[in-house]
Amino acid sequence: MKHWRRGDYYSGPREQRWMVSDWRGRRGLWAPPVGYYWMQSGEQYLLMAAATSLIAGVVAATVGSEAPTYPTAPGYASPY
């Protein structure tokens, strides 16, 4: 599974079923600016520019969890 980063260009499928229209109900997401939309790719939400597929933001998608989980760099303890 690819881990996307801000500044990457999204090259995966852009089907309607992966677009997130209920961003208010998703922890960590905010209103997308005009010309952008949220899309789910695996365990990540991507804020993408509609015209160019440039990723402007990435948020970890947490399914079935009350608190978000974030990957921890090797050698560091998780803050949670």
Side-chain angles (χ1 to χ4, degrees):
M1 174 81 38
K2 179 163 175 70
H3 289 281
W4 299 99
R5 296 171 192 245
R6 183 178 177 195
D8 287 348
Y9 284 92
Y10 181 74
S11 60
R14 285 206 229 172
E15 299 171 21
Q16 185 72 28
R17 65 183 174 156
W18 302 115
M19 292 182 186
V20 177
S21 59
D22 62 340
W23 55 267
R24 286 180 185 90
R26 311 282 176 113
R27 181 179 288 245
L29 301 189
W30 58 90
V34 174
Y36 289 79
Y37 62 93
W38 285 106
M39 181 169 200
Q40 185 168 0
S41 176
E43 295 183 9
Q44 295 179 305
Y45 291 118
L46 310 175
L47 180 62
M48 294 186 8
T52 63
S53 297
L54 177 69
I55 298 173
V58 179
V59 175
T62 55
V63 179
S65 174
E66 290 186 22
T69 57
Y70 301 99
T72 303
Y76 293 90
S78 173
Y80 302 101

